[in-house]
Amino acid sequence: MTTADVAECSVGDLYSAWKGDEYILDVREPDEYAEGHVPSAVLIPLGELAARVGEVPRDRPVYVVCRSGRRSLTGVRTLAASGIEATSVSGGTLGWIAAGYPVSGRPHLAGTTRR
């Protein structure tokens, strides 16, 4: 899987977008999300995204985040297939937490998940 066909940004870029109240989509599983997530991120697990793509806005930037950045690439491609432009966050939630940005949930467990 290459990233050449997918727009990516850093967790620093995501922080700026978060402060600007942009739409952040978390494509991890509910248990992972509960362990720690970007505040205001909307959870739609990757396995449900194609069926729930209508819930994602088309009128504002969309940032897709997962644990480390791999599933978000797939999420961006899924959204693109439905005509939604989105950006994958390289480094994912682990990078967000490591950078010391605000976290909702139980962030002390985020580094211990299985994915």
Side-chain angles (χ1 to χ4, degrees):
M1 176 186 299
T2 67
T3 60
D5 59 332
V6 174
E8 285 191 282
C9 72
S10 69
V11 293
D13 294 330
L14 178 63
Y15 181 69
S16 295
W18 175 75
K19 290 192 324 184
D21 199 32
E22 299 295 358
Y23 187 87
I24 301 169
L25 174 64
D26 193 318
V27 295
R28 297 175 300 152
E29 293 300 313
D31 61 324
E32 294 175 285
Y33 182 84
E35 290 172 353
H37 59 272
V38 176
S40 78
V42 176
L43 175 65
I44 302 178
L46 185 59
E48 300 175 15
L49 184 56
R52 296 177 58 189
V53 72
E55 298 174 35
V56 179
R58 295 174 177 268
D59 61 345
R60 60 196 277 208
V62 175
Y63 293 85
V64 183
V65 66
C66 62
R67 182 171 190 263
S68 63
R70 291 192 65 193
R71 284 175 282 178
S72 61
L73 294 171
T74 302
V76 167
R77 290 186 181 103
T78 299
L79 294 172
S82 294
I84 298 173
E85 290 186 32
T87 301
S88 174
V89 179
S90 179
T93 304
L94 291 179
W96 176 271
I97 292 169
Y101 296 131
V103 179
S104 293
R106 299 181 311 238
H108 62 284
L109 299 177
T112 65
T113 57
R114 64 187 180 288
R115 291 180 209 251

